[in-house]
Amino acid sequence: MFSVEDDVRDLLDKALCSEPLSLRDGIKLFESDVQLTGIVADCLRKRSAGDLVTFVIDRNINYTNICISGCRFCAFYRSSKADDAYVLTIEELLKKVAEAVKLGATQVLLQGGHHPELPFEYYENMLCSMSEKFPRVQRHAFSPSEIAHIAKISGSSIKETLKRLIDAGLQSIPGGGAEILDDKIRKKISPKKIDWKGWRKVMVTAHSLGMPTTATMVYGLTEGYKERVRHLLRIREIQEKTHGFTAFIPWSFQPGNTALAKKYNIACSSGIEYLKVVAVSRILLNGAIRNIQASWVTQGERIAQIALSYGANDFGGTMIEENVVRAAGADSQYLPPDEIVRLIKNAGRPAAQRDTLYRILKRY
Ligand code: SF4
């Protein structure tokens, strides 16, 4: 039996009664026994999302690695003069989409560095050419910091930028670039990126234009529990106003080859810490965001399986290609759909393929 302090028991009771939890409650949850928090998170997952575990067949395409942002946690970016700096041509992009389609992909995520010179038309052409050639593949593209960057270099407002991108074929936005929504941490890890209100502005504007997005959190970036909980509560607050987030995706900082890890001597965070983050996310976002993704890409297949009993209800994507976390040492490779189904079923759960908007395409 667990020995449970009265105040932890009270706040877990509050969570099970779907009462809102405070910053203090959230911190207490992070300090509590992970198994106990996991049991409550699993119960809330079952209530709000059921037993079915979903996944999407997808490919990430990083259209350029040239970036002027220089985030200290990133091992992917290059200066435009680097030998391995690149910008994909539209032909190269379409070739990658065609490969993904052959493997059954229904979603392509476009994400790249903050290139100092690419004109607005480059982004529009990517979307237009994809929608012409592969109209059935979801164009899930450009995190809020890229959208803010495109707006800045083109001298447009966030709203005008989003409208132009939507006209060109943008269908949904990934929640990357959130890292930790706390400006003290952001100044330390990515001083040239938008602040947390800038991230919120892009999301709220996108939601007001009817555009669905996901929300993310990267933890282990020198923040404490307080900043993590504040991040979750900020996501919750946005969702209560807009209802535009389809899912929440937390993952741990991948320290390999990064300036941040060298400066602060940061090692990979543990599987237990990951399970705690998933469980607390499910509890704090209960009633607001239905889908919580397990990240096999950063945690490995086995921890991702366990996360399904700690509040996650989605296995993410097949990731036909992923370059950003791999550059920082994540040992991830493409997982074919059959393998994902096997992993989900071995975790004792039914599996289904979904689309970007979490509509079921095929049950296994
Ligand atoms: S995380 Fe994105 S914005 Fe930051 S340096 Fe890397 S590519 Fe650039």
Side-chain angles (χ1 to χ4, degrees):
M1 283 295 288
F2 299 106
S3 105
V4 188
E5 294 167 42
D6 283 350
D7 52 347
V8 175
R9 193 198 315 265
D10 285 352
L11 78 90
L12 290 175
D13 278 348
K14 256 168 92 176
L16 286 168
C17 293
S18 299
E19 288 175 31
L21 300 184
S22 66
L23 181 70
R24 224 169 131 236
D25 294 337
I27 295 170
K28 189 84 197 164
L29 281 180
F30 267 114
E31 291 166 349
S32 306
D33 184 297
V34 64
Q35 283 165 292
L36 187 62
T37 318
I39 291 169
V40 173
D42 196 42
C43 176
L44 295 177
R45 181 274 306 159
K46 207 177 170 76
R47 255 193 230 162
S48 60
D51 282 335
L52 192 66
V53 178
T54 47
F55 68 94
V56 65
I57 305 182
D58 65 344
R59 176 172 197 162
N60 280 12
I61 299 180
N62 303 112
Y63 52 88
T64 181
N65 62 352
I66 296 173
C67 186
I68 51 171
S69 193
C71 304
R72 293 170 187 146
F73 57 84
C74 179
F76 170 72
Y77 76 93
R78 296 289 182 270
S79 86
S80 52
K81 293 196 181 82
D83 290 345
D84 53 354
Y86 71 84
V87 177
L88 292 185
T89 62
I90 297 298
E91 290 67 38
E92 288 168 327
L93 171 85
L94 292 177
K95 195 170 159 222
K96 283 176 182 280
V97 181
E99 285 164 6
V101 168
K102 259 195 194 151
L103 293 169
T106 62
Q107 167 184 303
V108 163
L109 188 156
L110 297 175
Q111 204 158 24
H114 296 181
H115 193 291
E117 280 146 20
L118 283 177
F120 207 128
E121 291 70 28
Y122 175 81
Y123 303 95
E124 288 177 312
N125 286 344
M126 280 198 285
L127 294 165
C128 278
S129 55
M130 259 184 76
S131 60
E132 266 166 34
K133 266 213 128 173
F134 305 101
R136 295 169 80 171
V137 175
Q138 177 93 6
R139 295 167 298 278
H140 188 52
F142 314 132
S143 63
S145 63
E146 286 164 274
I147 288 167
H149 174 73
I150 300 167
K152 195 172 163 192
I153 57 166
S154 64
S156 317
S157 69
I158 297 293
K159 197 169 188 174
E160 284 160 3
T161 304
L162 280 166
K163 279 185 168 171
R164 263 181 84 172
L165 292 171
I166 292 168
D167 286 347
L170 180 67
Q171 292 175 298
S172 52
I173 296 176
E179 282 88 49
I180 292 288
L181 295 175
D182 176 280
D183 286 340
K184 246 190 177 170
I185 300 294
R186 297 177 82 76
K187 275 202 185 105
K188 194 164 156 189
I189 63 171
S190 51
K192 293 190 197 154
K193 241 181 188 172
I194 47 175
D195 61 10
W196 90 265
K197 285 187 179 155
W199 189 91
R200 179 178 66 181
K201 185 176 179 183
V202 176
M203 285 307 193
V204 169
T205 311
H207 295 167
S208 76
L209 295 171
M211 171 112 327
T213 77
T214 56
T216 63
M217 174 168 82
V218 183
Y219 66 91
L221 293 164
T222 75
E223 82 289 347
Y225 289 154
K226 188 171 156 194
E227 288 84 16
R228 279 185 207 173
V229 174
R230 198 181 281 137
H231 177 108
L232 288 163
L233 294 179
R234 283 177 169 164
I235 296 282
R236 186 182 176 104
E237 217 178 283
I238 298 171
Q239 180 71 342
E240 281 169 350
K241 287 193 183 120
T242 67
H243 307 287
F245 294 129
T246 55
F248 181 69
I249 314 155
W251 69 89
S252 60
F253 166 50
Q254 303 298 302
N257 312 316
T258 64
L260 192 74
K262 274 182 209 137
K263 182 162 183 195
Y264 294 98
N265 199 17
I266 306 174
C268 269
S269 101
S270 72
I272 292 289
E273 194 62 20
Y274 175 70
L275 296 175
K276 202 180 264 190
V277 168
V278 171
V280 176
S281 302
R282 171 61 72 185
I283 293 173
L284 289 183
L285 298 175
N286 181 40
I289 299 185
R290 179 185 184 273
N291 303 302
I292 306 238
Q293 251 185 49
S295 173
W296 66 264
V297 177
T298 58
Q299 310 303 317
E301 297 156 18
R302 290 188 177 84
I303 296 284
Q305 279 178 307
I306 300 169
L308 299 177
S309 298
Y310 279 75
N313 68 306
D314 186 87
F315 216 74
T318 53
M319 291 275 183
I320 294 161
E321 180 183 356
E322 198 293 321
N323 300 301
V324 179
V325 298
R326 266 179 218 168
D331 186 22
S332 59
Q333 286 182 3
Y334 164 59
L335 267 188
D338 288 354
E339 183 56 15
I340 292 191
V341 170
R342 188 188 69 78
L343 289 165
I344 294 170
K345 289 197 168 174
N346 279 356
R349 303 275 286 280
Q353 184 196 342
R354 64 164 171 88
D355 66 9
T356 310
L357 303 180
Y358 288 78
R359 295 173 297 212
I360 302 301
L361 300 178
K362 180 178 176 184
R363 289 174 191 267
Y364 293 83

